[in-house]
Amino acid sequence: TSSQTHRFGSRRHLRTMIEALKRHWPEYLIEAVCLGLFMISAFSFGAVLEYPKSPIHQAIANPMLRRVLMGLAMGGTAIGIIYSPWGKQSGAHINPATTLTFFRLGKVQKWDAAFYVSAQFAGALAGAVIAATVLSSWVAHPAVNYVVTAPGKTGATLAFIAEIAITFVLMTVILWVSNNPRLHKFTGLCAGILVAVYITFEAPISGMSMNPARTLASAVPARHWIGLWIYFTAPILGMFSAVQIYLFAN
């Protein structure tokens, strides 16, 4: 009967879920920890560079130069995570949009994708809460504001378009470089360089997120919900568009 078929299907899905959890729980945990570390790095460097009473902030008056340093710091953090033993084990997605893109490509199974995304959100939020607690008044200052990603003075529409554009370019580079036998080992380096460039030049437009979990993690302690929809939709649209064009070209 249909009810028996439904029960059988439900048990099968449950078994598949449990099997995925048993096999890959270390990778899920790694994704959580790595994105948590990324958030701690973002809060720490954001506070050091932007908190008005920080000696480094006072020594570097030029906001563009501070963005360059922030870009180098976060690009370096991304590269360090990607090439670390943990990053190599989990694939260092550290981004729900990336995981969903690889799921779209058939490179990640359904339950692995679900657990990866859940772990990424949990890890990012945990990292943000830890950093917010430790750095307290520094990151709470309006000049730092928990390093939230929010539309700049040019508005939400341009921020949305910019987030689509930067994630499109990022995923395009990842796909082409990672699938080139001679260049694949440079995939993480390319991703880190793009992060650094984006923070330097694109951050004033959208805050440079590319990552729904990263944005939500900052939004929670800051209680900043303006434009949140942008960072939950644009990165996925940008990356999925890159995949479609890559598949069409290959």
Side-chain angles (χ1 to χ4, degrees):
T1 66
S2 59
S3 61
Q4 288 174 326
T5 302
H6 177 73
R7 285 198 299 272
F8 177 76
S10 298
R11 288 197 296 269
R12 186 177 58 189
H13 285 306
L14 182 60
R15 284 199 303 270
T16 305
M17 181 188 73
I18 294 172
E19 287 170 5
L21 192 58
K22 285 180 178 178
R23 286 199 311 270
H24 296 142
W25 69 264
E27 286 74 29
Y28 309 149
L29 184 59
I30 286 170
E31 284 290 306
V33 171
C34 286
L35 195 44
L37 291 173
F38 187 86
M39 293 306 303
I40 290 171
S41 178
F43 273 57
S44 300
F45 284 109
V48 166
L49 289 167
E50 297 301 332
Y51 182 60
K53 293 182 181 179
S54 164
I56 293 177
H57 177 88
Q58 293 174 353
I60 305 172
N62 189 318
M64 177 69 169
L65 181 54
R66 292 199 303 272
R67 285 204 308 276
V68 169
L69 294 176
M70 186 68 176
L72 290 172
M74 298 316 300
T77 299
I79 291 170
I81 289 172
I82 291 167
Y83 288 106
S84 70
W86 280 2
K88 290 179 180 178
Q89 182 175 340
S90 74
H93 294 187
I94 55 174
N95 186 340
T98 302
T99 297
L100 292 174
T101 301
F102 287 143
F103 173 69
R104 165 70 181 82
L105 281 166
K107 295 182 180 292
V108 178
Q109 297 300 310
K110 179 179 70 174
W111 284 114
D112 288 329
F115 284 124
Y116 259 48
V117 170
S118 300
Q120 289 155 357
F121 274 103
L125 185 57
V129 169
I130 290 169
T133 302
V134 173
L135 298 169
S136 58
S137 61
W138 281 49
V139 294
H141 191 279
V144 182
N145 196 25
Y146 302 95
V147 290
V148 297
T149 55
K153 295 179 180 179
T154 50
T157 301
L158 192 55
F160 179 69
I161 294 170
E163 283 288 319
I164 291 176
I166 59 178
T167 48
F168 174 85
V169 172
L170 176 69
M171 184 52 65
T172 298
V173 169
I174 288 173
L175 290 172
W176 285 98
V177 175
S178 66
N179 287 288
N180 186 305
R182 293 186 296 109
L183 300 176
H184 69 91
K185 62 183 178 181
F186 299 113
T187 304
L189 183 62
C190 291
I193 290 172
L194 282 175
V195 168
V197 171
Y198 289 164
I199 289 175
T200 301
F201 298 104
E202 193 279 336
I205 301 174
S206 74
M208 212 305 279
S209 170
M210 300 197 296
N211 188 328
R214 179 260 177 274
T215 290
L216 184 65
S218 283
V220 170
R223 297 177 184 177
H224 186 281
W225 315 113
I226 298 173
L228 199 64
W229 65 271
I230 294 170
Y231 309 100
F232 274 77
T233 57
I236 295 172
L237 287 172
M239 290 190 182
F240 273 37
S241 298
V243 165
Q244 288 304 120
I245 292 176
Y246 177 81
L247 292 174
F248 179 77
N250 291 273

